[in-house]
Amino acid sequence: MEHHVIDYGEYMPHGMCLLWQPWLVLLWAGSDLLIFLSYTAIPVALFMVLRRRTEVPQPALVVLFAAFILLCGITHLFMIVTLWVPIYPFVGWLKLATGLVSIATAVMLFRLIPDIVRLPSPAALETVNRGLHEEIAAHKATLASLDLQVRERTADLERATTALAVQAREAVHRSSNLLSVVHTLAMQSAKGSRSLADFLDPFLGRVRALADATRSMGADGDARARLSAVVEAALAVPRATYGDRIAYSGPPIEIGQIAAQQLSLALHELATNTHKYGLGVSDGLRVSVTWSTAGEDFTLLWREQGGAAASPAAAAEQPVEGFGSTLLMSIVPATLRGKAERSFDADGMTYRLVAPLAAIRDRLSPDEEADLASRIIAASFSNE
């Protein structure tokens, strides 16, 4: 049996079947040669694809196809040899191997039919790819919009932080200024006071006037206030006590921080004096507070009319040389770069403050504002 498996000496070359016709032998051998060359090139191409595209699905099927095609090509090569050498046993075993590989390829191919059918077509892949590109473009647009929003929010945050820092510096600056004024008020109010009560009542009243002026200032960084709000805050307690016996009126004017402080102190001193010597002792006395502008000048007018307390005799009882009088006649007008006068006549008492409108409206620079009021107050008493 083993002798017949590999022995081919008893067989005739296949060329004899072709009667050794040259054209027929050439046709037979040439056709098989072309098939062999093609079947050899195809597996080489498939293996190159597998080597370069590792993500090819089912690479085992590609290997089986390559092996099947290569075996078919070798079979045709051996068929050329059999034209002259009858190696039919070897060709038979080669065909058996080719058949086994073909069966395995066919079985695997049938098993993979559902997966192959599910593979998307080029048109479907193009549609999906186009959708992905559109989605990527939309995401890029969204990211660009978000980036723009982030930059805008960052810029807003930087502006808010800058404004907050400025307001914080302003708050520290104003607090320092107020503390300087309060310190000087305390020192000057203490002069001539014979008891704690003599010191505390006027001092605390002046501090409250400063606090009312501060509350009247705007909440923005420009630190401005309506004059009507400052007057209303300064006269809130007297008006609650005496009602419509105290009236005020004037055009709307925005004033700066220093002007608000000084006018509040002046109105407090005038209200304190009229409580002691005017409204508090005469039911017929009335007070009017008016302000006006003419050209570049600002005028504040305090007018007390009616009642016995308005006479010169009653006015003689008022302390005109105390710290309150100094505030009214020297400190406040000097701070506002203006002048003040107070007069008593048969109709009553009149206090008139005239100052440049620019000094009332404008803010001072930080260097000018820092200790202006306290320096003026201290200077007013430097020669006492």
Side-chain angles (χ1 to χ4, degrees):
M1 176 66 180
E2 183 178 350
H3 173 73
H4 293 291
V5 167
I6 59 174
D7 186 15
Y8 58 86
E10 298 178 357
Y11 305 110
M12 294 185 300
H14 189 59
M16 296 183 64
C17 298
L18 303 178
L19 301 179
W20 297 110
Q21 294 290 328
W23 67 270
L24 188 56
V25 172
L26 180 62
L27 176 62
W28 195 278
S31 300
D32 283 333
L33 179 61
L34 291 176
I35 294 173
F36 165 72
L37 293 176
S38 300
Y39 279 17
T40 303
I42 292 174
V44 172
L46 290 177
F47 281 118
M48 290 177 64
V49 170
L50 284 179
R51 189 173 182 182
R52 298 181 182 181
R53 294 289 300 270
T54 57
E55 76 281 3
V56 173
Q58 302 298 333
L61 179 62
V62 178
V63 172
L64 282 176
F65 263 111
F68 162 65
I69 295 172
L70 181 61
L71 288 173
C72 289
I74 295 175
T75 300
H76 283 276
L77 177 64
F78 276 33
M79 290 299 294
I80 297 174
V81 175
T82 60
L83 288 173
W84 293 275
V85 181
I87 54 173
Y88 299 118
F90 294 100
V91 175
W93 289 114
L94 183 60
K95 287 186 175 182
L96 177 61
T98 304
L100 293 176
V101 173
S102 301
I103 295 256
T105 304
V107 171
M108 178 173 284
L109 181 60
F110 274 98
R111 292 181 61 184
L112 293 177
I113 285 177
D115 295 335
I116 296 174
V117 170
R118 283 195 297 268
L119 290 175
S121 65
L125 288 175
E126 179 64 25
T127 302
V128 172
N129 198 23
R130 186 164 51 250
L132 288 175
H133 280 296
E134 293 175 354
E135 187 173 354
I136 290 172
H139 283 308
K140 288 182 177 179
T142 301
L143 289 175
S145 176
L146 289 176
D147 183 64
L148 178 61
Q149 293 180 22
V150 168
R151 288 199 299 269
E152 291 176 350
R153 297 297 182 272
T154 302
D156 291 341
L157 182 60
E158 290 177 352
R159 286 192 293 269
T161 303
T162 301
L164 184 61
V166 171
Q167 291 180 8
R169 289 195 297 269
E170 285 285 339
V172 173
H173 172 68
R174 294 173 200 162
S175 299
S176 176
N177 185 26
L178 279 175
L179 289 174
S180 177
V181 174
V182 170
H183 174 267
T184 307
L185 286 176
M187 296 295 296
Q188 300 300 336
S189 297
K191 290 184 178 181
S193 299
R194 292 184 294 273
S195 66
L196 182 61
D198 290 342
F199 163 73
L200 282 179
D201 290 341
F203 171 68
L204 293 179
R206 290 159 184 157
V207 171
R208 281 193 296 270
L210 286 176
D212 292 338
T214 301
R215 282 193 294 270
S216 300
M217 302 306 297
D220 58 351
D222 196 29
R224 307 187 70 77
R226 290 178 293 109
L227 177 56
S228 59
V230 174
V231 174
E232 182 178 2
L235 299 180
V237 174
R239 280 174 59 83
T241 303
Y242 300 108
D244 58 4
R245 293 173 63 190
I246 300 179
Y248 63 88
S249 63
I253 301 177
E254 285 192 349
I255 62 176
Q257 180 185 8
I258 295 298
Q261 291 178 359
Q262 299 305 309
L263 292 179
S264 294
L265 286 173
L267 291 172
H268 168 73
E269 295 301 328
L270 291 168
T272 300
N273 288 339
T274 193
H275 173 70
K276 291 180 179 180
Y277 307 107
L279 293 172
V281 298
S282 175
D283 293 336
L285 187 71
R286 292 182 176 275
V287 174
S288 65
V289 181
T290 59
W291 61 90
S292 60
T293 60
E296 297 181 356
D297 291 334
F298 165 82
T299 301
L300 175 71
L301 184 64
W302 176 286
R303 179 67 175 156
E304 298 178 7
Q305 293 177 299
S311 65
E317 301 176 3
Q318 300 189 37
V320 296
E321 298 299 332
F323 179 54
S325 296
T326 304
L327 275 173
L328 290 172
M329 304 308 296
S330 299
I331 298 172
V332 171
T335 303
L336 299 178
R337 305 198 297 272
K339 59 183 179 179
E341 59 181 19
R342 182 168 60 174
S343 62
F344 298 90
D345 53 34
D347 291 333
M349 189 277 289
T350 301
Y351 174 80
R352 184 188 305 272
L353 172 66
V354 180
L357 188 58
I360 299 296
R361 285 179 169 170
D362 295 342
R363 289 189 59 198
L364 299 175
S365 66
D367 292 337
E368 294 174 320
E369 186 181 323
D371 59 349
L372 175 60
S374 60
R375 284 192 292 104
I376 292 178
I377 292 174
S380 300
F381 296 91
S382 60
N383 296 325
E384 289 188 359

